Amino acid sequence: MNQRSYENYAKVGLKFWEEKLGRETSLDKLNPQWIESVKSAYALTVEQATVDRKLEVLRAMFNWAIEGNLIPGPSPMKGIKLFKPNNELVRYLSNDEYGALLEAAGHERWHVRPVIELAANTALRKQNVLRLRWDECDFNTGVIRVTKTKSKRTVTIPMTDAALNVLNRIRDKTGRYEHVFCHLEGPQEGQPIGDMKKSWIHTKGGRHQSAIPLSRSSPLVRFATRDERSQP
């Protein structure tokens, strides 16, 4: 764990439990019932994800102490379940917003706009788009066959005219490589682009007014239905 991660995560979590326990409390005196009571009470004041982070620190602390023979096992964290909330960010785009997004993406690195377009017209996850290979694009039958998916199943997707147009546009650029979206020069030439964490799309008059990080949503681009757009 690097210093920044320690300061932002483990150190804060350890301080939390030190305040709850007190410095004089022996770790081998703790029990699951007490931990569950702290967990339930804390969840009334903060987000469940915050509670989970504190519990993960406590679990790691007990594991370390038991492995080092500092306290006897088993860990009182055994049987303590995390909340595991779904914190996925869902961002629906209207047609106008999508148009503005593509316009702004055209000013970013070469792959940003076609990645967005392909994601929007195939519903593929971000990593599936970035890892897409040319041999998975069957232009004869007009389908894309993704073999490495999150569900570990091969997925066959018909190529829409828009998706076909995107692939044809970048074929001359990366067609000689294995991957559709790859580095074009340098020591990583030909290797797939790993992520888009540094790509931010700014759609309105300034970097601080409307910025969308392209590494947050999965699938990468989603559209609101007509009914959803009419809702307040």
Side-chain angles (χ1 to χ4, degrees):
M1 179 178 292
N2 60 40
Q3 183 64 26
R4 185 175 180 181
S5 296
Y6 174 77
E7 293 289 341
N8 293 341
Y9 185 77
K11 186 176 181 180
V12 174
L14 290 172
K15 183 178 180 180
F16 170 83
W17 290 109
E18 182 181 358
E19 292 174 351
K20 292 292 183 183
L21 294 168
R23 293 194 173 189
E24 304 303 320
T25 303
S26 176
L27 293 182
D28 60 359
K29 302 299 183 183
L30 300 186
N31 56 63
Q33 292 76 22
W34 182 84
I35 297 172
E36 282 287 0
S37 67
V38 174
K39 167 187 167 183
S40 300
Y42 193 40
L44 297 176
T45 62
V46 298
E47 297 291 335
Q48 291 180 344
T50 301
V51 180
D52 282 355
R53 286 194 291 271
K54 300 298 190 296
L55 291 172
E56 287 169 347
V57 169
L58 187 64
R59 188 192 306 277
M61 181 179 69
F62 276 116
N63 290 341
W64 173 81
I66 292 170
E67 290 173 3
N69 295 318
L70 299 178
I71 61 173
S75 169
M77 282 296 296
K78 186 176 182 180
I80 302 293
K81 295 182 179 180
L82 304 182
F83 288 108
K84 295 183 179 180
N86 182 4
N87 290 331
E88 180 183 9
L89 175 66
V90 178
R91 176 72 167 93
Y92 290 98
L93 302 182
S94 66
N95 288 334
D96 289 342
E97 288 175 323
Y98 179 59
L101 179 65
L102 292 183
E103 172 63 25
H107 301 287
E108 299 288 332
R109 288 176 290 179
W110 74 267
H111 61 273
V112 174
R113 175 166 178 154
V115 165
I116 293 173
E117 290 181 287
L118 198 60
N121 288 283
T122 60
L124 285 172
R125 294 176 178 272
K126 178 190 62 178
Q127 285 304 317
N128 290 137
V129 174
L130 291 176
R131 298 285 177 174
L132 186 65
R133 303 191 312 271
W134 283 113
D135 63 8
E136 294 176 317
C137 303
D138 191 334
F139 292 93
N140 292 325
T141 59
V143 298
I144 297 173
R145 294 187 180 87
V146 180
T147 55
K148 293 183 179 181
T149 64
K150 190 173 182 179
S151 62
K152 298 182 180 180
R153 295 182 301 175
T154 298
V155 175
T156 301
I157 302 170
M159 286 187 194
T160 63
D161 290 341
L164 180 60
N165 182 46
V166 173
L167 293 171
N168 282 331
R169 287 205 323 262
I170 61 176
R171 212 172 183 181
D172 291 339
K173 187 183 294 287
T174 66
R176 66 183 183 277
Y177 300 110
E178 179 182 8
H179 291 89
V180 175
F181 297 102
C182 62
H183 295 279
L184 300 178
E185 56 187 15
Q188 290 186 295
E189 180 179 356
Q191 296 299 309
I193 294 170
D195 211 333
M196 298 171 65
K197 291 182 178 179
K198 295 183 180 179
S199 296
W200 290 71
I201 299 301
H202 311 281
T203 58
K204 293 182 181 178
R207 296 182 66 84
H208 301 291
Q209 293 188 26
S210 181
I212 302 174
L214 296 183
S215 62
R216 294 280 300 279
S217 57
S218 178
L220 186 61
V221 178
R222 299 184 179 185
F223 297 94
T225 64
R226 182 176 300 175
D227 291 339
E228 289 171 330
R229 292 173 192 161
S230 64
Q231 295 177 359

